[in-house]
Amino acid sequence: MATLIDGRQIASDIREEVKQAVLAHTSSGKRAPYLAVVLVGDDPASSSYVRGKAKASAEVGIESDTMTFPDTISEAELLEIVARLNDDDNVDGILVQLPLPAHIDDTRVINAISPDKDVDCFHPASVGRLSIGLDGFAPATPAGIVQLLERSDIETSGAHCVIIGRSNIVGKPLANLMLRKGIDATVTVCHSRTRDLAGIARQADILVAAIGRAHFVTAEMVKPGATVIDVGINRVDDSTRDRGYRLVGDVDFDAVEPIAGHITPVPGGVGPMTIAVLLQNTLKAATM
Ligand code: NAD
């Protein structure tokens, strides 16, 4: 039976640490860290994520403002808003909730955010700093995964970390983080064209699934005793639930849990860590 990695508890510990650090910051006479959140349109998932971020910020003493715009806003108008936030010395962090409507180029908007305020760590300058090991903002989900490992005392040095998924928000930045000095994993990144994915996955001491397919990782893909980190969030039909579905990860939890050494549940594993890292980044933006 695997040891469960409790992302809710670890994220709660991090929030408490951020809260104490914010308190120390404001007690020294400085203003509270300030996060500007930009939300375009009324996508229910995006609205819900943004509400969660605002609530979590308030709980640790970070001030935040969610600026909401209709999905008819033009790209030029949005870029002007970002420019104003860049120039505003009272704004420490800027977060533009993605995805943006089809007529707006996500990349152009992200690239317009000042790298000094890029708390999502999506700007090319932030990604570049990460890849050459310079200090900077942490990519939320990957850094959350690293903190789950560190705070669960899982050895990363020399460990073979196999990451399934090569997205810009999870797989690639996680590979960069795991390679860093001090973390020192040997990293393999698998994707949809990888040959013998199961064979490679089975070599992993730390197996990370970031694919977006329910139950993709089966027991045959896991080495006994491996640490299994499940990033996936997938809806599967479930008529026993009022809402008609439940959330599951990319790992077939029931089959893998008896084999793994450590495993994250979904929900309650990687998910809660993402906002916790955003709070750490906003504090960093205010104090650097
Ligand atoms: P994405 O769709 O951008 O990337 C998926 C990756 O999986 C791609 O690189 C692709 O090559 C790989 N892939 C797809 N099919 C494959 C296959 N058959 N074999 C091998 N590789 C395959 O997804 P993403 O944004 O990285 O998100 C992945 C999952 O993680 C999603 O379920 C998403 O909801 C979830 N997610 C969770 C959090 C969190 O906070 N817990 C954060 C980000 C993403």
Side-chain angles (χ1 to χ4, degrees), residues 50-257:
V50 160
R51 274 198 306 277
K53 290 168 186 175
K55 184 166 170 278
S57 299
E59 281 168 7
V60 299
I62 291 175
E63 286 183 14
S64 77
D65 180 26
T66 302
M67 306 168 73
T68 309
F69 302 97
D71 58 12
T72 50
I73 190 172
S74 70
E75 186 178 286
E77 285 169 314
L78 193 56
L79 288 172
E80 208 178 297
I81 286 152
V82 170
R84 273 213 308 273
L85 294 171
N86 283 340
D87 290 341
D88 188 340
D89 289 339
N90 291 316
V91 172
D92 298 303
I94 302 171
L95 186 156
V96 177
Q97 184 66 41
L98 300 178
L100 293 168
H103 66 278
I104 299 178
D105 182 349
D106 288 9
T107 307
R108 206 170 286 160
V109 175
I110 296 304
N111 292 2
I113 295 173
S114 163
D116 292 339
K117 301 188 178 187
D118 178 34
V119 287
D120 255 343
C121 194
F122 289 161
H123 191 285
S126 307
V127 178
R129 295 183 73 85
L130 172 71
S131 72
I132 58 171
L134 295 177
D135 190 29
F137 294 115
T141 303
I145 293 169
V146 169
Q147 293 189 60
L148 284 180
L149 296 171
E150 287 175 344
R151 290 169 188 252
S152 305
D153 289 328
I154 289 159
E155 180 69 86
T156 55
S157 179
H160 187 191
C161 175
V162 175
I163 302 165
I164 312 177
R166 58 173 161 182
S167 73
N168 287 339
I169 63 164
V170 188
K172 278 190 231 157
L174 178 62
N176 268 322
L177 274 183
M178 294 301 293
L179 282 172
R180 278 196 150 186
K181 282 217 176 301
I183 299 177
D184 300 315
T186 301
V187 179
T188 303
V189 181
C190 298
H191 48 80
S192 50
R193 302 294 174 93
T194 297
R195 290 191 196 129
D196 188 23
L197 192 147
I200 296 171
R202 239 187 342 263
Q203 295 171 24
D205 303 305
I206 300 168
L207 180 62
V208 182
I211 309 144
R213 290 188 178 209
H215 297 159
F216 182 93
V217 174
T218 57
E220 296 69 41
M221 296 164 73
V222 178
K223 178 166 78 175
T227 296
V228 179
I229 305 289
D230 192 352
V231 187
I233 305 174
N234 308 291
R235 281 184 182 192
V236 294
D237 292 341
D238 186 344
S239 57
T240 67
R241 307 280 172 104
D242 286 347
R243 56 187 181 180
Y245 69 88
R246 68 193 152 89
L247 295 179
V248 300
D250 289 346
V251 175
D252 183 350
F253 185 91
D254 292 342
V256 169
E257 189 270 343

